[in-house]
Structures are given as C-alpha cells and as structure tokens.
C-alpha cells in the first residue's frame, strides 16, 4: 500500500518549486563544477572533484525523495473546507488558559510543518488534541514542560 501525504495546495506548490530548483539550477551547477574539477587532472587527489561528486549524490537523492513525495501527495483545498470543528487545514486560534497568551496555528501535512510560520504537523501532539474539537472547547496538550490547557477561540479555513 502506498501511503499518501496530506498536503495543502501551498505546500504542494512549494514542493514542485523545490524539485524544479534542484533540477534546473542545482543539477546543472554541480555538473559544471564536476567538469571543472575533472579538468584539474588527477582525480584520486582532487578534493574539489570528490566534494562535487558528494554534492551531486545529495542533489540526486533529494530529487528522488521529493519526486516520491510529490507523487504521493494528497492535495487538500483548504479554501473548500468549512465547519465548526477542527480538521486538516484549519487555522486555529488558541488561548492558553494559564497565561491568557494567544497562539494561532494552521494544521498542515508533516512535509510542510514549520513552527516559525505557525504551521504544525497533523501528527503533532497539539494538532492531535485539536482534531474534532470546536470553538469554545478546552483541550489539554502534553508538552515537554508539563501539560497545557488551551481554549479554542476560533476555527478558520482560509
């Protein structure tokens, strides 16, 4: 069975852009670097050549990995989703019941999670605690520093 990767349209577009960049920019650059290093002569003692070959191997591995994920992506159009409960793609505004601090996260696929952009993986503890809940519900999340309780203030699909 082939596992699908749930992904937003934005995440899918970024994955495509990453593949295109590797193939159209990185790959030709490393081929050129290998050719230049070969021109320097004895390959057995040529550090530039060996470094370029290692980089080429890494690039090809990345291309294969990203193309595999691309082929198994299950793109979910968040804009077409709605409803009061939290599901994949939702942007959820939470209030920490202890500190009154507001946090806002979008629940996305594992490949596009980025905490700096407030995008959390569907498989993260906080996302798992939120799925199926609605505005006004309280959720308890086991965190490294101890359990936290959040109130769901808003659920949006944007």
């Amino acid at each position: 069975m082939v596992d699908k990767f749930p992904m937003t349209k934005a995440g899918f577009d970024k994955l495509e852009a990453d593949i295109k960049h590797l193939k159209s920019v990185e790959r030709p650059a490393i081929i050129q670097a290998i050719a230049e290093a070969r021109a320097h002569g004895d390959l057995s003692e040529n550090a530039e050549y060996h470094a370029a070959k290692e980089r080429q191997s890494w690039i090809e591995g990345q291309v294969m990995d990203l193309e595999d994920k691309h082929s198994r992506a299950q793109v979910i159009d968040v804009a077409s989703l709605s409803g009061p409960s939290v599901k994949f793609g939702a942007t959820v505004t939470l209030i920490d019941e202890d500190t009154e601090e507001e946090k806002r996260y979008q629940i996305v696929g594992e490949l596009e999670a980025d905490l700096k952009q407030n995008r959390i993986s569907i498989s993260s503890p906080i996302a798992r605690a939120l799925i199926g809940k609605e505005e006004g519900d309280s959720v308890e999340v086991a965190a490294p520093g101890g359990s936290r309780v959040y109130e769901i203030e808003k659920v949006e699909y944007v």
Side-chain angles (χ1 to χ4, degrees), residues 23-99:
K23 286 180 162 184
S24 64
V25 177
E26 298 291 334
R27 188 183 271 167
I30 202 63
I31 290 170
Q32 179 65 35
I34 290 169
E36 287 173 12
R38 268 198 185 122
H40 295 301
D42 185 6
L43 297 181
S44 65
E45 295 180 16
N46 188 329
E48 288 174 16
Y49 174 79
H50 293 289
K53 289 298 280 182
E54 276 184 36
R55 174 88 177 136
Q56 180 185 38
S57 176
W58 182 86
I59 289 169
E60 294 308 320
Q62 284 292 105
V63 168
M64 286 176 41
D65 183 48
L66 295 178
E67 285 181 335
D68 172 60
K69 289 173 177 155
H70 183 269
S71 70
R72 295 189 291 144
Q74 178 183 3
V75 180
I76 297 169
D77 181 9
V78 175
S80 70
L81 301 175
S82 63
S85 66
V86 177
K87 51 190 169 255
F88 180 89
T91 298
V92 184
T93 304
L94 304 171
I95 303 293
D96 185 313
E97 292 191 350
D98 289 336
T99 65

Side-chain angles (χ1 to χ4, degrees), residues 130-144:
L130 292 170
I131 296 296
K133 302 289 192 297
E134 297 184 6
E135 289 179 12
D137 288 353
S138 286
V139 293
E140 187 172 344
V141 179

Side-chain angles (χ1 to χ4, degrees), residues 100-113:
E100 298 294 316
E101 183 183 353
E102 183 178 288
K103 297 180 185 237
R104 185 176 152 100
Y105 298 112
Q106 182 182 23
I107 299 173
V108 297
E110 289 183 32
L111 300 175
E112 53 189 321

